[in-house]
Amino acid sequence: MVASRKAAMGFIFITLLIDVTGLGLIIPVFPKLIEQLIHGGISEASKWGGWLTFAYAIMQFLFAPVLGNLSDKYGRRPVLLFSLLGFGIDYIFLAVAPTIGWLFVGRVIAGITGASFTTATAYIADISTDENRAQNFGMIGAAFGLGFIIGPVIGGLLGEYGARLPFIVAAGLALLNALYGYFVLPESLDKEHRRGFNWKRANPMGSLLQLKKYPALGGIVGSLVLVYIAAHAVQSTWTFINIEKFKWSEAMIGYSLGMVGLLVAIVQGGLIRFINPRLGNEKSAYIGLALYALGLLLFAFASQTWMMFVFLIPYCLGGIAGPALQSIISGQVPANEQGELQGALTSLMSLTSIIGPLLMSYLFSYFTKPDAPVKFAGAPFLLGAVLMLGSAVIAYFTLHTKKEVVVSNSPES
């Protein structure tokens, strides 16, 4: 059984690695492609980038719980393969797009089918024990990290030969990944642990309302909401901010994201396996959120390129928070509802992705436009730091309130 679980983790890790590598390929050249299609500058392109993320997020918000519930009924494998196929089609649309409208079509397709991380998270929950759940969730971060070492660096270099070439390569990778998964990815959810499909539980609001079954999770879910929004300070504006402040090329963007990938892989693929068991989930969450906030604050006021690379260290060390929070949440949910839970959390992430990219990209655009009252390209990073600190405060009071309730209800009290 142990050997089988280790083999399954290997399969899902490779699948996610290829998936993230394809995503990483396109990030360095996305601003340039948008600029070409709108015939505008970087400040205007950032707003279009926010709307493109919005289109993806709102589709994922609507469809992630459907796919999460389908994975509880039919298993993780078919849903994961469907998702990978959708990403391949998305990249093809992006590669050949003659107008900005085509980019939206591709993003909508990817949003509808984009449940690879949702299903992978449920897959990992299926094969994890209480002892190794946080470490196994950390493997998602490790795949993300390694994919971001490979993808953005190659994407940045390919971008020197044209803004569309990385999209073609990403499409090929996504389709090959689907083929790989078809032949080698085993199913993780056996038939006796599956449940029927229910539309009430599969609609996005119904999916979110299912979280009410676990009232103890409310504060932690609220903490995650702030983390998700704050993360868009980096996810949605990193390329735009550094092009504006430091005139980075596609290659330099690729190198910076490669550095992010390396640090994330070290933290979540290695350090977390030592840090989390020693600190526990709660302390890991607090320390991680504080490091996230510190990194974002330093990004906001960095004045030279080398600073952005150095300040990635505390920011990426903050990655110990995510798996710890996920472990706290998933540890309170039965095995046959993990797909529903992860679908609900993905819907929640998508809901914040409707807000986050627009908030951060418009904030960047406002402080970089020609008639801006104050020129401050790092404004999204500063807001992100404030939100991370807010998340830490909410997590602290939620977990400590829960402890007080347990103590007060104990027979000895």
Side-chain angles (χ1 to χ4, degrees):
M1 177 67 72
V2 173
S4 175
R5 285 176 174 174
K6 285 184 176 179
M9 276 302 300
F11 286 131
I12 205 70
F13 177 80
I14 294 296
T15 299
L16 287 173
L17 175 62
I18 297 173
D19 195 18
V20 175
T21 299
L23 177 63
L25 275 167
I26 71 171
I27 292 177
V29 295
F30 214 42
K32 186 176 181 179
L33 180 60
I34 295 172
E35 283 184 286
Q36 289 177 358
L37 293 176
I38 67 169
H39 308 291
I42 195 69
S43 183
E44 185 67 19
S46 71
K47 290 194 286 188
W48 282 101
W51 282 110
L52 284 164
T53 307
F54 171 88
Y56 173 83
I58 199 166
M59 288 298 105
Q60 193 169 71
F61 173 68
L62 294 172
F63 287 92
V66 175
L67 294 178
N69 277 264
L70 285 173
S71 79
D72 281 340
K73 177 176 174 62
Y74 297 107
R76 318 301 185 202
R77 184 175 179 273
V79 174
L80 186 58
L81 295 180
F82 175 69
S83 173
L84 296 174
L85 185 63
F87 272 119
I89 295 170
D90 167 41
Y91 294 141
I92 291 171
F93 268 92
L94 300 182
V96 301
T99 65
I100 193 74
W102 280 57
L103 296 189
F104 280 95
V105 172
R107 293 282 76 193
V108 165
I109 292 171
I112 292 171
T113 62
S116 58
F117 277 87
T118 306
T119 313
T121 306
Y123 191 109
I124 290 170
D126 291 339
I127 63 174
S128 296
T129 63
D130 290 338
E131 291 75 23
N132 66 11
R133 185 175 283 109
Q135 293 94 318
N136 285 347
F137 279 135
M139 292 303 290
I140 297 178
F144 182 92
L146 287 175
F148 261 66
I149 295 171
I150 301 166
V153 173
I154 296 175
L157 294 173
L158 290 175
E160 301 291 324
Y161 298 96
R164 296 177 187 269
L165 182 57
F167 294 94
I168 297 171
V169 176
L173 275 178
L175 296 175
L176 284 173
N177 198 9
L179 191 64
Y180 164 81
Y182 180 80
F183 286 107
V184 303
L185 188 67
E187 179 55 64
S188 65
L189 187 67
D190 49 48
K191 291 185 178 179
E192 57 264 29
H193 284 113
R194 298 181 188 181
R195 63 175 179 80
F197 183 86
N198 185 321
W199 275 109
K200 182 178 179 181
R201 298 171 75 169
N203 76 76
M205 295 312 298
S207 178
L208 288 174
L209 290 174
Q210 289 301 312
L211 293 173
K212 292 175 66 176
K213 294 194 308 186
Y214 312 102
L217 299 180
I220 298 299
V221 169
S223 180
L224 275 176
V225 167
L226 293 185
V227 171
Y228 292 155
I229 294 174
H232 279 285
V234 173
Q235 294 172 13
S236 299
T237 60
W238 177 266
T239 53
F240 296 100
I241 290 173
N242 287 305
I243 290 172
E244 172 69 20
K245 287 181 70 174
F246 307 117
K247 311 304 178 189
W248 282 6
S249 65
E250 290 87 350
M252 181 59 76
I253 293 168
Y255 296 145
S256 72
L257 293 175
M259 181 69 171
V260 172
L262 177 61
L263 291 170
V264 169
I266 291 171
V267 172
Q268 302 212 13
L271 289 180
I272 197 170
R273 292 179 174 270
F274 299 99
I275 294 172
N276 184 275
R278 286 163 176 75
L279 294 180
N281 287 329
E282 187 177 336
K283 286 184 179 178
S284 295
Y286 301 150
I287 294 171
L289 291 170
L291 288 167
Y292 269 145
L294 175 62
L296 286 164
L297 184 64
L298 293 171
F299 288 154
F301 296 100
S303 59
Q304 296 184 49
T305 285
W306 66 265
M307 293 180 179
M308 299 302 288
F309 282 82
V310 172
F311 297 159
L312 281 170
I313 295 173
Y315 180 78
C316 291
L317 282 171
I320 64 173
L325 291 171
Q326 255 186 329
S327 183
I328 291 169
I329 292 173
S330 67
Q332 299 186 49
V333 176
N336 67 346
E337 295 181 9
Q338 287 291 337
E340 179 183 53
L341 170 68
Q342 301 307 330
L345 291 178
T346 300
S347 287
L348 192 69
M349 186 186 302
S350 298
L351 191 60
T352 60
S353 294
I354 294 170
I355 303 166
L358 290 177
L359 174 64
M360 298 303 180
S361 60
Y362 269 78
L363 190 63
F364 167 76
S365 181
Y366 179 79
F367 283 102
T368 56
K369 63 184 181 180
D371 58 342
V374 178
K375 288 284 186 178
F376 183 36
F381 293 144
L382 182 58
L383 177 59
V386 172
L387 293 175
M388 286 294 186
L389 288 176
S391 174
V393 170
I394 291 173
Y396 177 83
F397 281 105
T398 299
L399 294 174
H400 277 255
T401 300
K402 181 182 174 184
K403 286 180 181 177
E404 289 171 6
V405 170
V406 171
V407 171
S408 64
N409 290 337
S410 65
E412 297 176 1
S413 61

